[in-house]
């Protein structure tokens, strides 16, 4: 039976997985897309506020919006890839550690008892 955990809204948007298992390609793309859209869209609101407050010309406003959005997509896309890589590495390490602890426990049972008798 799988334990159901309820994450906060931000966690469900950015990384809704437990981290116990390595992410599949589909899960990785979902996390990457979330990181590449969530932060840049929220960052792009600031130039829109500047456009409205200071009555920038439309062309300059579009350039500010595009610069904020595209630079955010680039930076947070790289961070999303880093999150995926670190999660998958830790899942593989966790699985290897679990496997070695199970095999060590089985080897100690095969030798007799805790004290080797």
């Amino acid at each position: 039976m799988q334990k159901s955990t309820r994450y906060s809204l931000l966690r469900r948007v950015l990384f809704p997985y437990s981290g116990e298992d390595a992410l599949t390609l589909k899960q990785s793309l979902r996390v990457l897309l979330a990181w590449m859209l969530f932060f840049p869209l929220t960052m792009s609101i600031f130039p829109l506020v500047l456009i409205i407050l200071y009555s920038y010309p439309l062309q300059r406003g579009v350039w500010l919006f595009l610069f904020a959005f595209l630079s955010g997509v680039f930076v947070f896309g790289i961070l999303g890839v880093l999150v995926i890589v670190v999660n998958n590495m830790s899942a593989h390490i966790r699985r290897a550690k679990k496997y070695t602890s199970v095999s060590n426990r089985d080897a100690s049972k095969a030798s007799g008892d805790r004290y080797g008798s």
Side-chain angles (χ1 to χ4, degrees):
M1 178 180 262
Q2 192 176 25
K3 185 172 75 169
S4 173
T5 56
R6 187 81 171 150
Y7 298 122
S8 67
L9 178 63
L10 193 60
R11 169 81 190 259
R12 282 182 285 177
V13 169
L14 294 177
F15 196 82
Y17 308 106
S18 68
E20 294 290 324
D21 299 320
L23 298 178
T24 64
L25 179 63
K26 187 176 178 181
Q27 291 171 331
S28 298
L29 290 175
R30 188 232 179 264
V31 168
L32 188 61
L33 187 65
W35 277 71
M36 288 176 70
L37 291 180
F38 178 76
F39 289 113
L41 285 176
T42 55
M43 284 176 37
S44 299
I45 291 172
F46 183 69
L48 291 177
V49 171
L50 287 177
I51 292 166
I52 293 169
L53 287 178
Y54 296 114
S55 303
Y56 283 140
L58 183 62
Q59 183 181 6
R60 183 172 177 155
V62 168
W63 281 114
L64 280 173
F65 178 81
L66 282 175
F67 177 75
F69 182 75
L70 293 177
S71 61
V73 165
F74 179 73
V75 169
F76 289 104
I78 290 173
L79 287 175
V81 168
L82 182 66
V83 165
I84 293 166
V85 167
V86 168
N87 177 72
N88 288 347
M89 285 176 53
S90 70
H92 289 299
I93 291 169
R94 188 177 294 120
R95 182 176 296 137
K97 188 175 181 179
K98 185 177 181 180
Y99 176 74
T100 57
S101 68
V102 168
S103 63
N104 287 342
R105 187 175 42 198
D106 292 341
S108 67
K109 286 181 182 180
S111 66
D113 195 14
R114 181 177 177 184
Y115 300 106
S117 56

